[in-house]
Amino acid sequence: MEKLLQLFADVASLWGKYSATYISGMGKTLILAVTATLIGCLIGFVCGILQTIPYTKTDSVVKRFFLKLIRIVVRLYVEVFRGTPMVLQAVFIFYGLPYFTDNAVQFSGTAGIWLAAILVVSINTGAYMAESVRGGIISIDPGQTEGAKAIGMTHFQTMTSVVLPQALRNIMPQIGNNFIINVKDTSVMFIIGFTEFFATHRSVVGATFKYFPSATIEMVGYLTMTLIASFLLRWVESRMDGADSYELVQADALTMTAGTYHYPKRPEDVAERNLERKGGEHR
């Protein structure tokens, strides 16, 4: 119990002194995760669509050659960036590009570090999203694509108006999953000097030597960010689901079945019915 009280005291002391530093680190982590996830999704959509462009033996040799070449390049990109740790990708991009370009490309200063971090996380996210998008596209019933072509839609129109809207709904959970992963995996960007949330923890520990209390603050901070992100993403998914009942035809009076329409009563019709009713009473 004494150890637990001491932990609470140390955490309160660190938070009281370095709260602004911790919050700044959390803000940088969220900005990097959101930006890189959006760019990574764009990369993934482009790569996923390129991998699913159809071609047949009747197409020209040039078209088949370029489509096969594109698929090979995308495949290599996906396998390399999915098969290597992000921390090593950061090292290769941040230190490797200046090395191979004789310092013509350098990530110097705060802006350069931000650019390198966004580049690394975006490319890594794009590699994962490329496979998610490809899977989402091929999961759509081929009959819908055939029907779109039957009414004269081009491949571009079919993708943008028929396939992609449905594929987006199918891969929405994966997009949210990648965002949550990015919130946590940005912690490896300290290797290139990016001062995100985990780097803040390292600097506080270096100044106070209170590793576990600072790590406790880090754990609570990461858990808070991921839980809020999960809640928001589930809300977005529920909004994309639409209504539970699809019997929309019942709400439109113009589409009701015959015999259910109600017309306003005409005066002559009312008079005729009254006469019939009186005649029946006399009998």
Side-chain angles (χ1 to χ4, degrees):
M1 189 64 179
E2 292 181 1
K3 292 291 186 182
L4 188 60
L5 291 176
Q6 183 62 42
L7 174 62
F8 286 150
D10 290 338
V11 168
S13 175
L14 285 178
W15 182 255
K17 188 175 182 179
Y18 296 101
S19 58
T21 306
Y22 283 116
I23 293 174
S24 175
M26 291 176 67
K28 292 180 181 179
T29 292
L30 288 175
I31 292 173
L32 176 58
V34 171
T35 305
T37 301
L38 292 175
I39 298 175
C41 286
L42 180 61
I43 295 173
F45 268 91
V46 172
C47 292
I49 292 171
L50 289 176
Q51 290 185 93
T52 56
I53 297 177
Y55 63 88
T56 62
K57 294 181 179 180
T58 59
D59 293 326
S60 64
V61 177
V62 176
K63 179 181 178 180
R64 285 182 290 164
F65 171 78
F66 277 106
L67 288 178
K68 289 182 179 179
L69 180 62
I70 288 172
R71 292 187 180 185
I72 292 173
V73 172
V74 172
R75 191 78 245 165
L76 287 174
Y77 157 65
V78 169
E79 295 301 332
V80 169
F81 280 88
R82 285 199 312 172
T84 55
M86 189 187 292
V87 63
L88 291 180
Q89 296 167 14
V91 170
F92 268 77
I93 290 178
F94 188 78
Y95 299 105
L97 286 181
Y99 179 83
F100 286 106
T101 59
D102 294 329
N103 295 321
V105 177
Q106 287 187 334
F107 300 100
S108 57
T110 304
I113 294 175
W114 267 98
L115 178 60
I118 292 174
L119 183 62
V120 172
V121 182
S122 299
I123 294 176
N124 184 274
T125 304
Y128 286 93
M129 282 305 305
E131 286 300 286
S132 299
V133 173
R134 185 180 69 86
I137 291 174
I138 63 178
S139 69
I140 305 302
D141 186 1
Q144 299 193 34
T145 303
E146 295 173 0
K149 291 181 178 179
I151 62 175
M153 296 179 69
T154 63
H155 178 72
F156 179 80
Q157 292 173 327
T158 302
M159 292 298 294
T160 55
S161 302
V162 179
V163 177
L164 286 182
Q166 299 178 75
L168 177 62
R169 175 62 189 87
N170 292 341
I171 66 176
M172 193 63 196
Q174 185 60 32
I175 294 175
N177 188 48
N178 282 332
F179 172 71
I180 292 175
I181 290 174
N182 284 341
V183 170
K184 298 179 295 182
D185 284 358
T186 51
S187 59
V188 303
M189 290 299 108
F190 76 89
I191 198 70
I192 62 174
F194 187 78
T195 54
E196 40 68 56
F197 195 31
F198 185 74
T200 300
H201 157 70
R202 289 167 57 88
S203 64
V204 171
V205 169
T208 63
F209 299 102
K210 295 181 179 180
Y211 195 95
F212 186 64
S214 181
T216 303
I217 295 175
E218 288 284 306
M219 183 174 294
V220 172
Y222 277 115
L223 185 61
T224 301
M225 289 188 288
T226 54
L227 286 177
I228 293 175
S230 298
F231 174 79
L232 293 176
L233 290 166
R234 289 186 183 277
W235 178 79
V236 171
E237 289 179 30
S238 67
R239 298 292 294 178
M240 295 179 69
D241 282 339
D244 294 333
S245 175
Y246 293 96
E247 297 179 0
L248 303 179
V249 67
Q250 300 297 329
D252 188 354
L254 296 178
T255 58
M256 296 175 68
T257 56
T260 60
Y261 292 103
H262 298 281
Y263 297 97
K265 296 179 180 179
R266 296 180 298 175
E268 54 269 26
D269 293 337
V270 175
E272 184 178 350
R273 289 178 183 176
N274 289 336
L275 288 174
E276 291 177 354
R277 196 171 298 165
K278 289 180 181 179
E281 292 175 355
H282 289 306
R283 288 195 296 269

